[in-house]
Amino acid sequence: MTAQPAFDLIFRNTLLRSTAAPVDIGVRGGRFAAIEPQLACDGVEVDVGGRLALPGFVDTHIHLDKACLLGRCGHNRGSVSDAIRAVAGMKKDFTVEDVYARGAKVLERAIVHGTTRMRTHVEIDPRIALRGFEAVKALKRDYAWAIDLSLCVFPQEGLTNDPGSDELLVQALRDGGDAIGGCPYMDTDPNAHLERIFALAQEFDVDVDLHLDFDLDPSWWHLDEVCRQTELRNYGGRVAIGHATKLSALPPERMKAATAQLATSGVVVTVLPATDLYLMGREATHNVPRGVTLAHKLADDGVLCSVATNNVLNPFTPFGDASLLRMANFYANVAHASVSDFDTCLDLVTELPARLMNLSDYGIKVGNPADLVVLDTQDSRFAIAELPDIVMGFKAGRQTFERQRPTLFGPG
């Protein structure tokens, strides 16, 4: 037992993924200050009870600005273009207050489901202008007590073919945009679209996070140009592609080549199971394809990957509760993950997305922000297998939520 100066908070009997037995964790000034067995010190104590603690889930791809629209759109079709049209038809009427309220609802669900870091994509174009951006900036400020929110500004409906979008993107980047995205398959000149997005990323020194090739036809794609731009600009490790559903349709030899291309260029991949499974293959009459790229296999082959939420309760995904643990479990089912893959599936919503977002201060390590969530399990594999309750969470050493265990009332 090592004597330590007083801590603001001490987590007792805490199981980490990196430790075989529970440890104590001391917090001082909102940061982890000591991690070792049986800390001898004073401080407010939280008994974790030998349960598993994580530094929180990391959601690399969500759309807070167009969440929770099902009650107003009457949408009952399932193609990508249908979903884009449905949201585009409503977007011009979005107000800052409306976007804020819908985004807050999803953020609060994400927080109590253990998410502590998040990148939200924010649409920027002449129809929504900067109203959605202003609303999500306010969410970033107002919920900083519980979650770190990063804003990725992007043009959903094209760029070169949508006059006014470029100027608005520049304005958003000047006013706090943390990353820039793109949607080349919606542009009449996809390569020019990508070139401009990469140029803006370099100009403002921000990461790139693209919506890419959202279909199952591998006879064409924009991946080659994305990798070329990444290598040309020395942007390896700073470029993500979301969906990348064409990868799920590749035969083994082409998949092997694409994997090598991704790994060499440093382009990372975000798989969005709920949306990809909902929108892909809907025209099939039998043997329906899943359209979900196998992130855990790519990760095993050296490609940095994440699994994320994407949309919640809108025409792109009429489901969702912003739970990344549930999404990882859903992905593991859809992707035929083996029990031996379950730890990687947990990595896909924790350590790997933190690396994807270049979060150098993520993790339960001395000196890092004291972000911690407790799961009601003692085994990280069972976090995926049985979806345990997430019983409490802390941000910078301050408790942000607690979930009470349900009570059973037997007969008599």
Side-chain angles (χ1 to χ4, degrees), residues 129-353:
L130 296 176
R131 297 190 302 279
F133 178 68
E134 293 300 329
V136 180
K137 270 205 313 179
L139 289 170
K140 176 178 180 176
R141 177 195 66 220
D142 293 349
Y143 283 89
W145 55 271
I147 190 167
D148 294 325
L149 188 59
S150 174
L151 278 60
C152 179
V153 297
F154 87 110
Q156 169 75 75
E157 297 171 49
L159 181 59
T160 69
N161 57 319
D162 198 7
S165 291
D166 195 297
E167 293 81 359
L168 288 166
L169 276 174
V170 170
Q171 189 174 343
L173 288 167
R174 286 175 177 162
D175 197 23
D178 301 298
I180 187 169
C183 202
Y185 63 84
M186 289 297 294
D187 205 302
T188 52
D189 192 340
N191 285 355
H193 181 111
L194 288 169
E195 184 174 6
R196 179 57 176 159
I197 294 301
F198 273 90
L200 286 171
Q202 277 196 306
E203 179 182 347
F204 289 92
D205 191 23
V206 295
D207 290 356
V208 175
D209 197 332
L210 303 161
H211 293 66
L212 199 71
D213 297 343
F214 203 6
D215 62 64
L216 296 176
D217 179 3
S219 67
W220 64 273
W221 63 10
H222 304 305
L223 181 60
D224 292 337
E225 180 62 15
V226 171
C227 292
R228 189 185 76 82
Q229 288 284 344
T230 301
E231 293 174 344
L232 176 68
R233 299 171 189 273
N234 195 29
Y235 241 56
R238 300 190 66 181
V239 178
I241 54 174
H243 300 293
T245 51
K246 288 180 185 287
L247 292 174
S248 74
L250 293 181
E253 286 306 309
R254 281 195 65 191
M255 187 61 186
K256 183 178 179 181
T259 300
Q261 184 180 24
L262 289 164
T264 300
S265 63
V267 172
V268 302
V269 178
T270 294
V271 174
L272 305 163
T275 302
D276 298 343
L277 192 64
Y278 176 69
L279 291 177
M280 294 295 97
R282 296 183 69 87
E283 70 286 351
T285 58
H286 60 284
N287 286 337
V288 180
R290 291 176 170 87
V292 175
T293 292
L294 300 184
H296 68 292
K297 298 289 188 184
L298 283 172
D300 286 344
D301 290 330
V303 178
L304 184 58
C305 293
S306 70
V307 163
T309 299
N310 197 40
N311 283 288
V312 176
L313 302 176
N314 72 13
F316 292 87
T317 318
F319 313 100
D321 58 1
S323 167
L324 278 178
L325 186 59
R326 185 185 67 81
M327 192 62 69
N329 168 278
F330 180 54
Y331 167 82
N333 276 269
V334 172
H336 290 154
S338 302
V339 174
S340 60
D341 298 319
F342 284 2
D343 267 318
T344 301
C345 291
L346 187 58
D347 291 339
L348 286 167
V349 291
T350 53
E351 304 291 340
L352 297 181

Side-chain angles (χ1 to χ4, degrees), residues 8-233:
D8 304 325
L9 180 68
I10 305 162
F11 295 103
R12 297 287 188 192
N13 198 23
T14 308
L15 185 65
L16 304 178
R17 295 182 74 188
S18 59
T19 59
V23 295
D24 293 343
I25 303 173
V27 175
R28 188 184 301 116
R31 293 184 176 271
F32 295 120
I35 302 172
E36 59 186 76
Q38 299 180 323
L39 283 174
C41 52
D42 296 322
V44 176
E45 297 189 3
V46 175
D47 184 6
V48 178
R51 291 174 293 195
L52 179 68
L54 302 172
F57 298 105
V58 182
D59 202 330
T60 61
H61 190 127
I62 195 169
H63 294 263
L64 295 178
D65 57 341
K66 57 188 182 189
C68 303
L69 293 172
L70 284 189
R72 68 178 72 174
C73 66
H75 176 77
N76 198 31
R77 294 182 296 275
S79 73
V80 177
S81 57
D82 285 339
I84 290 173
R85 279 194 296 270
V87 174
M90 293 181 279
K91 191 163 50 176
K92 66 182 184 303
D93 297 321
F94 288 176
T95 65
V96 173
E97 295 76 16
D98 169 47
V99 174
Y100 184 98
R102 290 184 287 104
K105 181 178 180 180
V106 175
L107 263 187
E108 290 178 8
R109 294 293 298 276
I111 291 165
V112 299
H113 285 307
T115 298
T116 55
R117 312 281 185 112
M118 176 183 285
R119 174 183 285 171
T120 181
H121 289 252
V122 184
E123 294 189 19
I124 306 288
D125 60 42
R127 288 155 294 286
I128 183 65
L130 296 176
R131 297 190 302 279
F133 178 68
E134 293 300 329
V136 180
K137 270 205 313 179
L139 289 170
K140 176 178 180 176
R141 177 195 66 220
D142 293 349
Y143 283 89
W145 55 271
I147 190 167
D148 294 325
L149 188 59
S150 174
L151 278 60
C152 179
V153 297
F154 87 110
Q156 169 75 75
E157 297 171 49
L159 181 59
T160 69
N161 57 319
D162 198 7
S165 291
D166 195 297
E167 293 81 359
L168 288 166
L169 276 174
V170 170
Q171 189 174 343
L173 288 167
R174 286 175 177 162
D175 197 23
D178 301 298
I180 187 169
C183 202
Y185 63 84
M186 289 297 294
D187 205 302
T188 52
D189 192 340
N191 285 355
H193 181 111
L194 288 169
E195 184 174 6
R196 179 57 176 159
I197 294 301
F198 273 90
L200 286 171
Q202 277 196 306
E203 179 182 347
F204 289 92
D205 191 23
V206 295
D207 290 356
V208 175
D209 197 332
L210 303 161
H211 293 66
L212 199 71
D213 297 343
F214 203 6
D215 62 64
L216 296 176
D217 179 3
S219 67
W220 64 273
W221 63 10
H222 304 305
L223 181 60
D224 292 337
E225 180 62 15
V226 171
C227 292
R228 189 185 76 82
Q229 288 284 344
T230 301
E231 293 174 344
L232 176 68
R233 299 171 189 273

